[in-house]
DNA sequence: TTTAGGG
DNA sequence: CCCTAAA
């Protein structure tokens, strides 16, 4: 059985070809040894499917391998395979990032995975330069898998590596060049007009490009709502030049390093990094999340663009989803905020994990104006031009990521609109993971034709994208803070204000973190693995770990029992994870007091446990 | 501030 | 999750 798990349509002006990644799922019994085979292929315009050469396949495999989790998650058939050797992995498993879980689940997989990571590191090193040439990207050819690398190759070094920070700062300047101005600069007056309109919801007759640019910039910085604006600008960008790819890549590199690089050590003058970083991350996150819908929208978009180019100044109509979400979030804000704030004020001035860059504490109502231009009426979110909040920083960050996220869509923008921390919802996270590959590649079931190998070009760029974005995703699952509303239960009680059910991937991160830094180093783990989660304080981690511990041991007796019963409304934690937890607990001899005494360090968990239970 | 533990 | 004590 073979399935195309990822398809990337050419983003160029003419969609000549489509890159596709085909997964060959051997449904034989040999899955464990050889679970998946990736095949690269290109689909030309007429739909002909051209398999990649072996070389290309190899490269792709390396690159994709550690990303595979996402693909697994996304494709049903993949999921099946993913779970094939472990029944305890139920459907619940699907929606989450099982990259790490896979490791737990199957030792062989783990081995492969680690290897893959190493290989990837090497290969990327090789590939990157070439990629550089192709795209002429300014970004330094850095190790793409730095994140993973730090995670897997330097697992036991508790202290952060200065080198990462160094790298981080070394390439940082690169993107600073990529300001929004540049992109706006490349727009014609006409385009600027369109942008302007999208931004402010009204037309302008001003011909002065400078003025227009400044206006638009201000509008953007002011509103935080770059949704339409950004989109349009980007569209124009795409139309105008193919440069967008560069931007994207740079951005990705940047993201990569934001994770590993931000070690807190040399934060002296780099205050900007965190902000831009998280902003970008959010974008990535959303980007990956919504990429599917974006892609399905692609045709329409192109049409719209054409219209635009023909002087038919049409503004892209906001998607229904966008509108809905904006208003939804707004209403949520209103209902939730007062309670929350009142409560927090009651418990003292202490602010919880409120992100520093939580601009615009109060959400803005979404005002839309009806625009009848271009024949069909469109609702355009109207953004006031009055500046409030901290525009400058805001502006910069916005402009910074503007050119990159062509996949950035409603959801993302919606968040930005809220002025919230760049983060996505918990549930959203899962949904997104399930729904779309982080790569923004859509999953289109194609029937693979066993064809001859053909030349396959321009792979590196795509591959880079894959790895990058996938990489991102593994750590970029973030949550929006502040969806926390008190839910008055029927019983009269008020349910917890902030209660964010732990995501499976979060749990995994936690477990991994503990395995790396040891239980107790919560702040470390928080900084590293949960850098993007503004909620989840170190205390939370600790608590969760405590729970996991409890769960893991409690669940032991019923080991064979499939999963956990559904009695807990929360997500059942896959047995493998619990196993891992127990293992770690044992290793760090932080087990339940009873077992504390074990003299032999290397004792196996199971021995002990079996003795007690 | 961070950890640990009780509520 | 929240709150606190202790380091």
């Amino acid at each position: 059985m073979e399935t195309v798990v990822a398809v990337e349509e050419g983003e160029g002006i003419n969609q000549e070809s489509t890159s596709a990644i085909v997964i060959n799922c051997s449904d034989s019994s040999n899955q464990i040894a050889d679970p998946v085979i990736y095949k690269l292929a290109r689909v030309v315009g007429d739909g002909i499917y051209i398999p990649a050469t072996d070389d290309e396949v190899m490269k792709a495999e390396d690159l994709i391998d550690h990303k595979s989790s996402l693909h697994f998650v996304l494709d049903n058939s993949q999921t099946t395979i993913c779970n094939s050797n472990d029944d305890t992995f139920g459907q619940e498993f699907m929606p989450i990032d099982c990259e790490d879980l896979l490791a737990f689940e199957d030792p062989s997989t783990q081995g492969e995975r680690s290897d893959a990571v190493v290989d990837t590191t090497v290969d990327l090193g090789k590939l990157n330069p070439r990629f550089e040439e192709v795209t002429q990207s300014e970004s330094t050819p850095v190790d793409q898998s730095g994140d993973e690398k730090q995670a897997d190759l330097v697992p036991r070094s508790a202290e952060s590596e200065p080198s990462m920070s160094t790298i981080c700062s070394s390439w940082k300047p690169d993107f600073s060049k990529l300001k929004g101005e540049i992109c706006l600069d490349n727009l014609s007056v006409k385009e600027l007009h369109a942008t302007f309109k999208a931004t402010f919801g009204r037309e302008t007759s001003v011909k002065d490009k400078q003025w227009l640019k400044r206006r638009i910039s201000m509008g953007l910085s002011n509103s935080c709502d770059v949704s339409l604006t950004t989109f349009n600008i980007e569209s124009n960008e795409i139309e105008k030049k193919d440069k967008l790819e560069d931007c994207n890549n740079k951005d990705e590199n940047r993201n990569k390093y934001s994770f590993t690089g931000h070690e807190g050590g040399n934060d002296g003058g780099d205050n900007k990094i965190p902000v831009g970083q998280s902003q970008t991350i959010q974008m990535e996150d959303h980007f990956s999340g919504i990429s599917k819908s974006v892609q399905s929208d692609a045709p329409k978009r192109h049409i719209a663009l054409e219209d635009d180019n023909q002087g038919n100044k049409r503004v892209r109509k906001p998607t229904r989803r966008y509108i809905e979400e904006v208003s939804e979030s707004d209403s949520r804000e209103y209902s939730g905020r007062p309670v929350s704030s009142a409560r927090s004020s009651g418990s003292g001035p202490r602010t919880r994990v409120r992100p520093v860059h939580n601009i615009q504490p109060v959400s803005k109502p979404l005002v839309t104006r009806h625009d009848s231009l271009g024949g069909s009426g469109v609702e355009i979110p109207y953004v006031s031009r009055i500046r409030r909040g901290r525009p400058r920083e805001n502006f910069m960050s916005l402009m910074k990521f503007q050119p990159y996220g062509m996949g950035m869509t409603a959801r993302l923008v919606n968040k930005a609109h809220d002025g919230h921390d760049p983060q996505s919802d918990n549930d959203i996270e899962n949904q997104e993971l399930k729904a779309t590959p982080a790569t923004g590649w859509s999953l289109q079931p194609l029937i693979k034709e066993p064809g001859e190998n053909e030349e396959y070009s321009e792979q590196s760029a795509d591959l880079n994208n894959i790895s990058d974005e996938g990489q991102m995703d593994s750590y970029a699952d973030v949550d929006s803070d502040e969806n926390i509303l008190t839910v008055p239960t029927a019983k009269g009680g008020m349910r917890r204000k902030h209660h964010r059910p732990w995501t499976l991937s979060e749990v995994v991160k936690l477990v991994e973190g503990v395995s790396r830094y040891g239980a107790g180093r919560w702040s470390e783990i928080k900084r590293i693995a949960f850098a993007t989660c503004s909620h989840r304080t170190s205390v939370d981690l600790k608590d969760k770990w405590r729970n996991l511990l409890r769960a893991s041991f409690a669940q032991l007796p019923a080991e064979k029992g499939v999963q956990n019963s559904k009695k807990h409304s929360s997500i059942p934690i896959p047995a493998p994870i619990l196993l891992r937890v127990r293992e770690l607990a044992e290793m760090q001899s932080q087990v339940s007091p009873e077992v504390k005494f074990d003299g032999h360090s290397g004792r196996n968990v199971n021995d002990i446990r079996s003795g007690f239970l």
Side-chain angles (χ1 to χ4, degrees):
Chain A
M1 167 188 184
E2 290 175 315
T3 316
V4 172
V5 289
V7 174
E8 163 134 291
E9 293 183 350
E11 314 216 326
I13 297 163
N14 43 6
Q15 298 185 336
E16 276 281 349
S17 63
T18 301
S19 314
I21 292 187
V22 179
I23 285 193
N24 180 343
C25 320
S26 48
D27 47 356
S28 66
S29 54
N30 204 14
Q31 292 153 349
I32 297 172
D34 185 17
V36 201
I37 297 170
Y38 295 100
K39 291 206 175 171
L40 281 168
R42 181 172 58 174
V43 178
V44 259
D46 49 354
I48 294 179
Y49 171 101
I50 302 172
T53 66
D54 284 350
D55 268 357
E56 289 153 356
V57 169
M58 302 259 295
K59 283 178 211 155
E61 246 180 291
D62 284 341
L63 287 169
I64 297 168
D65 199 84
H66 71 286
K67 292 293 118 212
S68 54
S69 55
L70 287 163
H71 302 303
F72 283 144
V73 186
L74 299 164
D75 185 291
N76 281 334
S77 59
Q78 286 314 304
T79 310
T80 309
I81 295 214
C82 168
N83 300 336
S84 58
N85 56 342
D86 190 340
D87 285 341
T88 60
F89 276 66
Q91 297 88 329
E92 295 91 337
F93 204 78
M94 257 194 323
I96 59 108
D97 173 5
C98 53
E99 165 167 295
D100 296 306
L101 302 186
L102 281 174
F104 305 144
E105 169 189 84
D106 177 3
S108 66
T109 305
Q110 166 137 31
E112 275 182 327
R113 193 174 93 83
S114 321
D115 290 346
V117 170
V118 178
D119 289 344
T120 303
T121 305
V122 175
D123 268 3
L124 281 171
K126 283 187 290 191
L127 278 170
N128 249 340
R130 180 163 46 157
F131 177 64
E132 295 293 320
E133 286 175 14
V134 173
T135 63
Q136 299 185 353
S137 156
E138 313 172 350
S139 53
T140 320
V142 270
D143 181 16
Q144 302 283 335
S145 55
D147 198 7
E148 280 282 346
K149 192 177 175 186
Q150 189 198 12
D152 287 337
L153 301 184
V154 201
R156 302 303 170 197
S157 77
E159 280 319 308
S160 51
E161 317 182 57
S163 57
M164 291 317 273
S165 309
T166 309
I167 295 176
C168 173
S169 46
S170 71
W171 51 260
K172 175 189 84 177
D174 284 343
F175 350 38
S176 55
K177 295 177 192 166
L178 269 184
K179 293 178 202 137
E181 286 293 347
I182 293 177
C183 288
L184 284 178
D185 264 331
N186 294 316
L187 300 181
S188 67
V189 174
K190 184 185 287 187
E191 287 161 338
L192 282 171
H193 277 177
T195 305
F196 182 95
K197 192 184 167 193
T199 309
F200 299 109
R202 64 183 176 82
E203 304 224 55
T204 179
S205 55
V206 179
K207 293 289 194 294
D208 181 0
K209 280 178 107 173
Q210 288 302 323
W211 186 89
L212 286 169
K213 282 187 291 187
R214 222 176 43 228
R215 276 300 166 187
I216 294 169
S217 298
M218 287 177 63
L220 291 176
S221 67
N222 170 44
S223 68
C224 285
D225 185 348
V226 266
S227 61
L228 297 179
T229 308
T230 301
F231 190 90
N232 279 329
I233 288 178
E234 281 169 359
S235 301
N236 285 328
E237 279 293 299
I238 299 167
E239 278 288 314
K240 266 301 175 204
K241 43 194 176 125
D242 240 27
K243 232 175 184 174
L244 191 119
E245 277 244 298
D246 300 16
C247 298
N248 253 326
N249 285 303
K250 259 176 258 180
D251 180 45
E252 278 152 16
N253 282 339
R254 175 162 169 260
N255 277 332
K256 188 115 318 122
Y257 292 94
S258 341
F259 283 109
T260 54
H262 184 47
E263 295 286 357
N266 54 352
D267 260 341
D270 295 352
N271 284 337
K272 271 185 182 173
I273 293 189
V275 178
Q277 163 191 354
S278 37
Q279 296 262 16
T280 316
I281 286 167
Q282 174 203 20
M283 188 195 65
E284 267 313 325
D285 195 28
H286 287 286
F287 172 67
S288 42
I290 36 74
S291 51
K292 187 172 191 174
S293 54
V294 167
Q295 203 147 57
S296 57
D297 269 351
K300 283 183 215 161
R301 207 169 64 204
H302 279 286
I303 293 173
L305 283 175
E306 275 176 37
D307 286 356
D308 212 63
N309 271 358
Q310 290 161 4
N312 211 350
K313 297 188 180 181
R314 277 174 55 188
V315 181
R316 181 176 173 269
K317 182 178 176 179
T319 65
R320 175 181 233 82
R321 193 176 173 195
Y322 167 74
I323 295 178
E324 282 173 358
E325 289 194 7
V326 169
S327 32
E328 178 194 352
S329 97
D330 274 353
S331 57
R332 237 188 346 199
E333 281 287 301
Y334 282 132
S335 62
R337 189 69 77 152
V339 187
S340 173
S341 58
R343 201 252 167 233
S344 64
S345 68
S347 66
R350 170 183 178 186
T351 45
R352 296 249 164 227
V353 221
R354 201 57 80 245
V356 193
H357 42 291
N358 196 356
I359 349 142
Q360 304 208 338
V362 181
S363 72
K364 264 183 330 196
L366 171 72
V367 182
T368 62
R369 66 188 286 277
H370 191 78
D371 190 297
S372 58
L373 221 149
S376 62
V378 290
E379 289 266 85
I380 301 176
Y382 183 86
V383 295
S384 145
R385 289 159 57 206
I386 301 169
R387 178 188 293 180
R388 8 171 210 183
R390 306 179 241 153
R392 272 294 161 250
E393 307 170 14
N394 216 5
F395 166 71
M396 284 320 279
S397 5
L398 287 174
M399 291 319 261
K400 252 190 227 161
F401 67 61
Q402 184 174 309
Y404 314 127
M406 73 170 289
M408 188 163 73
T409 62
R411 183 185 294 287
L412 156 65
V413 185
N414 172 22
K415 293 303 183 195
H417 165 85
D418 285 344
H420 272 22
D421 203 32
Q423 305 191 345
S424 66
D425 261 323
N426 227 326
D427 12 352
I428 290 170
E429 170 194 358
N430 282 338
Q431 285 172 6
E432 285 176 348
L433 284 174
K434 173 174 55 186
T436 69
T439 59
W441 295 30
S442 69
L443 306 180
Q444 287 168 18
L446 290 188
I447 300 189
K448 192 247 176 190
E449 295 219 33
E452 319 308 320
N453 49 356
E454 288 293 356
E455 45 89 4
Y456 188 64
S457 54
E458 60 190 355
Q459 232 6 262
S460 50
D462 289 339
L463 294 179
N464 262 310
N465 280 338
I466 297 171
S467 67
D468 282 352
E469 290 162 68
Q471 182 88 50
M472 276 306 306
D473 201 90
S474 61
Y475 268 89
D477 59 326
V478 267
D479 294 62
S480 79
D481 73 319
E482 210 58 34
N483 297 337
I484 352 83
L485 48 154
T486 42
V487 183
T489 64
K491 301 180 249 170
M494 284 290 236
R495 209 131 130 206
R496 292 199 211 64
K497 22 185 169 211
H498 333 181
H499 182 38
R500 268 269 192 39
W502 275 69
T503 306
L504 220 46
S505 64
E506 276 178 323
V507 171
V508 170
K509 280 195 295 188
L510 175 58
V511 171
E512 271 231 336
V514 169
S515 78
R516 233 171 267 151
Y517 303 100
R521 315 278 293 274
W522 305 119
S523 57
E524 276 279 308
I525 299 175
K526 208 285 178 188
R527 276 220 311 270
I528 306 303
F530 288 77
T532 52
C533 291
S534 54
H535 58 288
R536 307 306 184 207
T537 66
S538 53
V539 176
D540 292 328
L541 301 190
K542 181 215 58 178
D543 286 337
K544 185 54 181 177
W545 179 254
R546 184 170 43 175
N547 290 337
L548 283 176
L549 228 53
R550 197 180 302 137
S552 71
F553 286 123
Q555 181 252 12
L556 254 199
E559 179 73 88
K560 35 230 126 197
V562 185
Q563 287 287 98
N564 301 338
S565 50
K566 290 180 181 177
K567 59 181 177 181
H568 309 101
S569 59
S570 58
I571 53 160
I573 293 160
I577 294 189
L578 291 180
L579 270 170
R580 178 96 164 117
V581 169
R582 232 179 64 236
E583 203 175 299
L584 289 170
E586 280 299 332
M587 288 190 335
Q588 306 179 18
S589 61
Q590 51 151 337
V591 208
S592 47
E594 346 154 4
V595 202
K596 204 90 184 252
F597 65 143
D598 74 317
H600 312 329
S601 50
R603 200 111 94 94
N604 192 335
V605 185
N606 293 322
D607 298 337
I608 297 171
R609 292 319 307 173
S610 60
F612 276 83
L613 304 167

